Amino acid sequence: RKEVEQDPGPFNVPEGATVAFNCTYSNSASQSFFWYRQDCRKEPKLLMSVYSSGNEDGRFTAQLNRASQYISLLIRDSKLSDSATYLCVVNILFTSGTYKYIFGTGTRLKVLA
Amino acid sequence: AAGVIQSPRHLIKEKRETATLKCYPIPRHDTVYWYQQGPGQDPQFLISFYEKMQSDKGSIPDRFSAQQFSDYHSELNMSSLELGDSALYFCATAGRGYGYTFGSGTRLTVV
């Protein structure tokens, strides 16, 4: 089982729709969580960090459920420009003090006119 | 604000040649990660360094090696290049507790 799992999609949604992605993680030592957006042939860019209390940035809402070990990303009022791959990233902190970031495989979103 | 700098942006090499990719982190970022992303694929983790020591190893071929220098920049050395090594190579750098930042990548084409 992969440490961080996402549904690869694609999710095809009409403009204006609300869409949600989940990402599950298996390591309970996971400390920090992030959503990245990657456009075709470009580098991934940080979309938002995910806080324990949940957080919102405009049309984007991120939630963390530690008990069930998943994070979610909700996009409201989808725009054509939201079409991209959304990568979930989990930061695991080891007792040695080192940490590593693990990617999910990404969820592809296509917003259709 | 300064970002992660990768050089070169594009590189064309012939089979069996060598290539060196460079990554310059954001100031105070002490960790560097290298990824390889083939067409239509998610980034595959190759190797990472923390405080100039290798911290984790992924699917890096034996023909590749990497290191992190005293100024925290990192280099990925690739030898005996194969056609299948053609990909986008990203580095990402991070500081403790913060999401990492990617460089724009180096597009390597092996012909």
Side-chain angles (χ1 to χ4, degrees):
Chain A
R1 183 187 170 194
K2 282 194 159 194
E3 289 192 79
V4 178
E5 293 198 71
Q6 294 181 251
D7 182 340
F11 284 56
N12 297 322
V13 303
E15 261 189 299
T18 295
V19 62
F21 314 131
N22 279 346
C23 166
T24 59
Y25 61 94
S26 59
N27 194 321
S28 57
S30 301
Q31 298 282 318
S32 311
F33 308 87
F34 309 89
W35 283 104
Y36 279 73
R37 170 196 169 126
Q38 185 175 28
D39 293 290
C40 189
R41 299 164 74 87
K42 297 280 184 67
E43 75 275 21
K45 292 189 176 174
L46 180 64
L47 179 64
M48 56 198 305
S49 304
V50 186
Y51 303 124
S52 298
S53 54
N55 47 303
E56 190 173 307
D57 182 3
R59 297 181 294 107
F60 298 84
T61 301
Q63 298 274 355
L64 167 63
N65 185 318
R66 283 197 183 271
S68 302
Q69 297 191 179
Y70 74 87
I71 65 171
S72 62
L73 178 67
L74 180 80
I75 305 175
R76 288 183 299 278
D77 188 22
S78 302
K79 312 288 184 194
L80 293 176
S81 57
D82 294 333
S83 298
T85 296
Y86 291 83
L87 298 155
C88 141
V89 178
V90 173
N91 178 16
I92 299 173
L93 178 63
F94 298 102
T95 52
S96 61
T98 60
Y99 52 97
K100 68 176 182 180
Y101 292 86
I102 302 185
F103 267 111
T105 51
T107 298
R108 216 150 44 94
L109 171 66
K110 289 185 183 179
V111 181
L112 309 170
Chain B
V4 178
I5 308 295
Q6 285 190 250
S7 67
R9 291 293 306 273
H10 301 275
L11 190 59
I12 300 176
K13 290 284 186 178
E14 295 188 355
K15 281 196 313 184
R16 292 181 288 278
E17 282 194 315
T18 61
T20 297
L21 310 185
K22 298 184 180 183
C23 172
Y24 296 87
I26 289 173
R28 291 183 292 281
H29 276 196
D30 52 14
T31 309
V32 173
Y33 305 81
W34 284 98
Y35 294 87
Q36 177 192 59
Q37 188 172 28
Q41 298 180 357
D42 54 290
Q44 296 296 310
F45 170 67
L46 294 178
I47 194 166
S48 62
F49 293 87
Y50 170 64
E51 281 291 344
K52 294 155 277 184
M53 301 284 289
Q54 181 182 309
S55 55
D56 201 2
K57 196 170 180 180
S59 52
I60 185 169
D62 292 340
R63 300 176 289 108
F64 293 6
S65 64
Q67 58 181 320
Q68 187 179 30
F69 295 86
S70 57
D71 63 352
Y72 294 101
H73 93 273
S74 178
E75 295 184 5
L76 177 66
N77 299 294
M78 311 159 72
S79 61
S80 303
L81 287 169
E82 302 173 357
L83 295 178
D85 296 330
S86 296
L88 196 52
Y89 290 83
F90 291 114
C91 79
T93 74
R96 184 182 295 273
Y98 296 93
Y100 47 6
T101 303
F102 285 85
S104 301
T106 294
R107 184 167 297 283
L108 172 68
T109 303
V110 182
V111 297

